[in-house]
Amino acid sequence: MQSQWNNEDAAKVENDLLSLRAYATATFSKSVTGVPLWGTVKTTSRDVFGEDRTHLFIPQVGKYIGLDKERLVKLGQLDCLPSQELPLQLSLCGELQPSQAPTADTLLHAAIPSRFVDQTCSSATLALANHTNVKSLTAEIFGNRVAVSPSKKSRAEQVKAILALLDSSELEGILVPNLGLLTFSDEANECHERTVTLNAAAEAYFETTSTATEPKEATATQTMEIATLRQFVSNKKGHALIAVHDESASSRSLAGSETAQSLGAVTDGNHEGSLSSDAPVHTILWPNKGIFGFGQDKREARKVAQFATQIGEAKLLANATGGWVETTIAGPEACSSHEGLLQGKIALVSGSAAGIGLATATTLTEAGACVIGADINPEINSIMEGIGALGITVDLTQEAQVEALIERIIREFGGLDIVVSNAGIFTAGAYLEDMEQNNWERSMAVNLTSHQVLLKHAIPFVKKGIDPTIIFIGSRNVNAPGAGAASYSCAKAALTQLCRVAALELAPEGVRVNIIHPDAVFDTKLWTKEALERSAERYGITVEQYKKRNLMKTEITSRSVGNTVVALASDAFAKTTGAQIPVDGGNDRII
């Protein structure tokens, strides 16, 4: 461990405490790998009444949320507050929904008067905090730099115990049983350096005094095994969950050790037989395969898996150097900011770099789904990052790349519930006798065959999905083709037939398959300003009139199609398959 703090970089944000807090957290991640940090900062500002108000800013789902510090401090001093009421009271500190309530550890951060507070939970610090000889070892490793907070039953007692330790001017950190290490300072740099050096000292001690357990030889985990386990756990919990698989040597060793039973449920592959009906299933240990964490989003699932690994490693470290004090350690609390319509669902959208594909990826993400956008555009990763999704560059006409795409999705997220097969191109218009053969073949390759290849490799995993559905993006041209658009119209017509066959084949498996036929979606790259003006002029109307050239006189946007995809993927269409759904404002040629 070595600090990566750069004074020049920090100086750029020193006048913005939230940016400085974010910089300190990011720098710690670069300095110390594999150790989660939860860092907070206190700021004071004057309200409309001319009174100073101090807020504690905590990280939550990619941003910082301000909480009333004074109210938090008072909550931390309440002995009589029932634990079930605490989330509501914590949410009121920041006018949040109860589902967005911060963790109870927030009370400890509020109680410590220092501006910056870091909370780390490495295997080494956790082993030390829950060690039978915690006081003597702490003095040996840190001297007077770190104090030990006695284990307390209530959070209020824990707050009082920590406050009693803060009198020492030499104090840089506090070890808290079941929690780890709290470090603090009024200066971001000093807090960061303390966090790094104290974690390094704890790790160095255990490296020299304990022996690592060699894991058994790994048993390769097949993607279908992962998808099957995720399906089992999701069904057991009653809703879709994301699965993160930690197959590190340490996790594989822990999964096959005597410690495994205390870290979560253990399966031997026969999930029905080895996982009892009342077994907690947010953490699953599979001997020789590793640890699986489950959550409503990838971040939560990763935290669950990491937590189990850290607790297991901490127990091994402590037991190798004296003994572990067995207590109940609360796992990571749910971090999802809301219950979306498709929360926990895993969705793949092909052709998602722009237009309908991008809008669909956006609406699915907003609905709570974990979205993977696939596109030949090399910028797809940054495009998807902008909406909180994962982008993967892939040529969907290359079967090997499609197969690799599906495998990556299963290994990163655990399964596949929603496939939106959207990739498409519009080749140069030409009458049949003038058409270049290359345009015909290219249209068929992208607009038809790539969808068939995607289905071929996705279907085995979609069958293991939760309320699974496949949605194709077709075209009005299927039912109302245009002259000079044979290559496009024929490919989309064949795609519709592919959808119908897939609906017939997959209905017995509980997989719904439908197709959307959009028309006149003018906010795509296909329709430039010049193209719109030319088309409107040809009809003798304005561009705005041309955009609403349908029976309902309404404008169809990419998001209109994306919203329809979300609806089709939801329970609202749970009984619908094989349907062709127009999103066109009404077309008299079709009606």
Side-chain angles (χ1 to χ4, degrees):
M1 295 183 185
Q2 186 172 358
S3 173
Q4 300 296 312
W5 187 276
N6 184 293
N7 286 328
E8 290 184 4
D9 290 338
K12 297 175 183 176
V13 294
E14 64 181 355
N15 294 323
D16 182 346
L17 288 177
L18 292 184
S19 296
L20 189 58
R21 172 68 269 178
Y23 171 77
T25 299
T27 303
F28 179 82
S29 298
K30 296 176 183 177
S31 307
V32 183
T33 58
V35 177
L37 178 142
W38 198 71
T40 61
V41 63
K42 302 177 184 72
T43 69
T44 302
S45 58
R46 188 154 294 180
D47 64 16
V48 294
F49 303 107
E51 299 176 351
D52 287 340
R53 296 286 183 184
T54 300
H55 287 84
L56 175 74
F57 280 86
I58 66 170
Q60 191 177 73
V61 195
K63 61 183 178 181
Y64 284 91
I65 295 176
L67 306 174
D68 187 328
K69 175 184 174 286
E70 184 178 347
R71 184 181 177 90
L72 286 170
V73 170
K74 290 180 179 178
L75 279 177
Q77 296 170 347
L78 283 179
D79 284 313
C80 57
L81 184 67
S83 58
Q84 63 269 24
E85 190 178 336
L86 183 58
L88 173 61
Q89 294 302 323
L90 284 168
S91 67
L92 293 175
C93 293
E95 298 181 357
L96 304 171
Q97 295 296 322
S99 62
Q100 297 175 295
T103 67
D105 298 337
T106 306
L107 300 176
L108 303 181
H109 287 244
I112 296 173
S114 299
R115 178 176 292 167
F116 292 90
V117 180
D118 285 351
Q119 177 180 325
T120 49
C121 181
S122 69
S123 300
T125 56
L126 198 57
L128 193 56
N130 286 73
H131 203 284
T132 52
N133 302 320
V134 57
K135 288 188 176 181
S136 60
L137 285 181
T138 299
E140 177 185 343
I141 298 169
F142 304 114
N144 295 326
R145 298 171 66 194
V146 176
V148 178
S149 174
S151 180
K152 298 295 182 180
K153 292 183 178 180
S154 73
R155 190 61 65 185
E157 290 176 331
Q158 195 77 71
V159 169
K160 291 177 183 177
I162 286 176
L163 288 174
L165 297 170
L166 293 174
D167 293 335
S168 172
S169 59
E170 299 179 357
L171 198 63
E172 299 177 8
I174 298 175
L175 279 169
V176 183
N178 308 338
L179 182 68
L181 177 68
L182 292 172
T183 44
F184 36 83
S185 173
D186 284 332
E187 302 299 326
N189 184 15
E190 186 174 55
C191 184
H192 168 80
E193 296 296 335
R194 289 175 174 180
T195 305
V196 172
T197 57
L198 294 179
N199 272 280
E203 185 175 284
Y205 171 80
F206 285 107
E207 280 182 350
T208 59
T209 57
S210 64
T211 56
T213 303
E214 286 295 324
K216 295 180 180 179
E217 185 177 350
T219 302
T221 308
Q222 303 300 316
T223 48
M224 189 55 69
E225 291 179 316
I226 297 172
T228 301
L229 177 59
R230 179 205 173 234
Q231 181 190 44
F232 177 84
V233 172
S234 295
N235 287 337
K236 190 176 177 67
K237 295 296 292 184
H239 54 83
L241 291 170
I242 307 299
V244 168
H245 180 203
D246 182 352
E247 54 182 343
S248 64
S250 176
S251 294
R252 287 189 284 105
S253 177
L254 287 168
S257 71
E258 295 180 359
T259 307
Q261 294 287 352
S262 65
L263 301 177
V266 180
T267 183
D268 58 6
N270 175 16
H271 310 316
E272 289 285 356
S274 55
L275 298 173
S276 61
S277 59
D278 59 346
V281 289
H282 268 91
T283 307
I284 302 289
L285 294 95
W286 197 335
N288 300 332
K289 292 183 183 291
I291 296 176
F292 294 82
F294 295 86
Q296 292 190 68
D297 56 36
K298 187 177 180 181
R299 182 182 305 179
E300 183 179 324
R302 186 190 297 114
K303 285 176 65 176
V304 170
Q306 287 178 341
F307 181 77
T309 301
Q310 286 165 346
I311 294 297
E313 290 176 343
K315 287 185 176 184
L316 293 178
L317 290 174
N319 286 328
T321 56
W324 169 270
V325 178
E326 195 63 60
T327 58
T328 301
I329 300 180
E333 299 184 37
C335 65
S336 299
S337 61
H338 65 280
E339 282 286 340
L341 185 66
L342 302 175
Q343 196 73 39
K345 295 290 188 73
I346 302 165
L348 167 63
V349 182
S350 68
S352 51
I356 290 173
L358 177 56
T360 297
T362 302
T363 55
L364 286 169
T365 301
E366 291 170 351
C370 181
V371 175
I372 302 93
D375 201 285
I376 198 170
N377 187 333
E379 300 297 320
I380 185 62
N381 189 38
S382 60
I383 293 170
M384 288 294 102
E385 278 184 357
I387 63 169
L390 171 67
I392 300 176
T393 302
V394 57
D395 183 345
L396 293 161
T397 66
Q398 301 300 310
E399 185 170 4
Q401 292 187 36
V402 173
E403 186 175 12
L405 166 70
I406 299 300
E407 173 151 349
R408 179 176 173 184
I409 291 171
I410 305 305
R411 292 200 178 278
E412 285 202 31
F413 303 99
L416 188 56
D417 308 304
I418 302 166
V419 174
V420 183
S421 203
N422 165 73
I425 57 172
F426 194 95
T427 53
Y431 276 62
L432 290 169
E433 69 266 29
D434 300 321
M435 184 185 300
E436 293 184 10
Q437 193 62 25
N438 179 60
N439 280 344
W440 173 273
E441 292 173 357
R442 185 162 173 257
S443 179
M444 291 298 166
V446 176
N447 295 326
L448 176 60
T449 305
S450 73
H451 297 262
Q452 173 264 321
V453 172
L454 180 59
L455 251 64
K456 173 183 175 181
H457 293 284
I459 282 175
F461 300 100
V462 173
K463 288 179 179 179
K464 296 291 183 181
I466 309 303
D467 301 321
T469 184
I470 297 170
I471 301 167
F472 291 93
I473 304 300
S475 170
R476 175 220 67 176
N477 283 36
V478 171
N479 296 307
S487 63
Y488 181 79
S489 299
C490 290
K492 288 293 187 178
L495 182 67
T496 302
Q497 200 72 346
L498 178 65
C499 167
R500 296 172 69 190
V501 172
L504 291 170
E505 292 183 0
L506 296 176
E509 304 287 345
V511 180
R512 297 177 286 122
V513 187
N514 298 289
I515 188 165
I516 296 171
H517 291 315
D519 180 33
V521 182
F522 295 114
D523 60 345
T524 64
K525 288 184 177 180
L526 178 65
W527 287 96
T528 63
K529 179 183 177 182
E530 293 75 16
L532 275 170
E533 289 174 347
R534 285 196 304 269
S535 296
E537 184 179 358
R538 189 165 61 247
Y539 282 88
I541 57 179
T542 67
V543 168
E544 289 306 311
Q545 289 173 327
Y546 184 76
K547 286 182 177 181
K548 299 178 181 180
R549 193 171 50 88
N550 53 60
L551 296 179
M552 296 180 69
K553 304 301 180 186
T554 185
E555 184 175 348
I556 310 300
T557 65
S558 295
R559 192 174 180 88
S560 305
V561 182
N563 289 336
T564 306
V565 169
V566 170
L568 274 174
S570 73
D571 290 342
F573 284 83
K575 312 299 182 184
T576 301
T577 194
Q580 300 181 48
I581 300 173
V583 180
D584 58 9
N587 187 307
D588 53 6
R589 289 184 62 194
I590 297 173
I591 294 176

